[in-house]
Amino acid sequence: MPSKIIENNQVSIIGKINTPLTFSHQVFEEGFYRMEVSVKRLSDSEDKIPVMVSERLVDVMLDYQGKYIEIHGQFRSYNLQDAKKSHLVLTVFARELKFVEEDKAIPTNQIALDGYICKPPIYRKTPLGREIADLIIAVNRPCGKSDYIPCICWGKNACYASASSVGEHIMIWGRIQSREYTKKIGENETEKRTSYEVSVSKLVHPEFRSNF
């Protein structure tokens, strides 16, 4: 991965741009814009990944829908406050990007995190007996802030993760996963929403050199 990327939070994706750029916010006269990038899985379904990009990296007056793009950056979180409560919002923060031809756009969705467990793992089994564990990992930024990244583990990884304790150092590799669900927002009203998490393929406690 490019050397500019901060080592404890690395994301690489190659996929198709689904949406136009939409203005998000401005910091020190630098504008940031949102878009969605879809990356096909091996199963031929796809993950729809939110991306934040600076106006310094792209011409925000152009429409890039349908184009293929390679992005390197970080998976970041922030709290969005509404009238009732705050929501954890996750997005890929693009540090480097380039457009690629469709025939050279090999679907890529990779993430590596080096952080600390900040909530007790939640372990459960599906009706068919498959083991699952949910984790939230705090990954520090150089500026003193932290990103809080939800992760889901399966099988042996879930069993291993469930024995972890709050505050433990952990390294994780996997992919960014999107999941659609239906949220009840009123007596007779529902809304389709999308959640994001890291689907873990490997995890390690560096101090113990244990992994699956």
Side-chain angles (χ1 to χ4, degrees), residues 135-182:
L135 301 173
I136 296 183
I137 307 301
V139 181
N140 297 328
R141 295 189 205 170
C143 61
K145 296 182 179 180
S146 296
D147 294 297
Y148 297 91
I149 312 298
C151 303
I152 185 166
C153 308
W154 310 87
K156 289 183 178 180
N157 281 334
C159 184
Y160 179 61
S162 67
S164 303
S165 302
V166 172
E168 279 192 78
H169 185 193
I170 194 166
M171 298 173 69
I172 279 174
W173 293 264
R175 65 177 173 85
I176 298 172
Q177 173 174 281
S178 66
R179 281 191 300 115
E180 290 189 347
Y181 66 98
T182 301

Side-chain angles (χ1 to χ4, degrees), residues 13-18 36-40 47 66-71 98 100 105-109:
I13 60 174
I14 299 176
K16 183 170 73 172
I17 300 172
N18 289 339
E36 182 186 88
V37 175
S38 64
V39 182
K40 284 189 176 182
D47 290 300
K67 292 186 178 296
Y68 287 80
I69 195 167
E70 177 179 349
I71 294 171
K98 65 178 180 180
V100 294
I106 300 171
T108 301
N109 182 353

Side-chain angles (χ1 to χ4, degrees), residues 160 169-173 202-206 209-212:
Y160 179 61
H169 185 193
I170 194 166
M171 298 173 69
I172 279 174
W173 293 264
K202 179 182 178 182
L203 70 161
V204 173
H205 287 300
R209 297 285 186 264
S210 298
N211 66 85
F212 289 89

Side-chain angles (χ1 to χ4, degrees), residues 52-119:
M52 189 75 68
V53 59
S54 167
E55 64 184 355
R56 295 180 181 178
L57 296 179
V58 293
D59 183 345
V60 298
M61 301 303 294
L62 299 179
D63 184 0
Y64 300 101
Q65 290 182 89
K67 292 186 178 296
Y68 287 80
I69 195 167
E70 177 179 349
I71 294 171
H72 300 280
Q74 297 170 274
F75 202 28
R76 290 189 175 179
S77 72
Y78 63 93
N79 282 313
L80 180 65
Q81 188 74 39
D82 63 20
K84 296 181 180 179
K85 61 179 181 178
S86 64
H87 304 273
L88 185 70
V89 177
L90 297 160
T91 186
V92 171
F93 182 82
R95 288 187 167 272
E96 298 181 355
L97 62 79
K98 65 178 180 180
F99 294 95
V100 294
E101 297 297 325
E102 182 176 356
D103 59 351
K104 297 179 181 178
I106 300 171
T108 301
N109 182 353
Q110 299 173 343
I111 183 168
L113 300 173
D114 184 342
Y116 299 85
I117 296 172
C118 61
K119 286 189 177 181

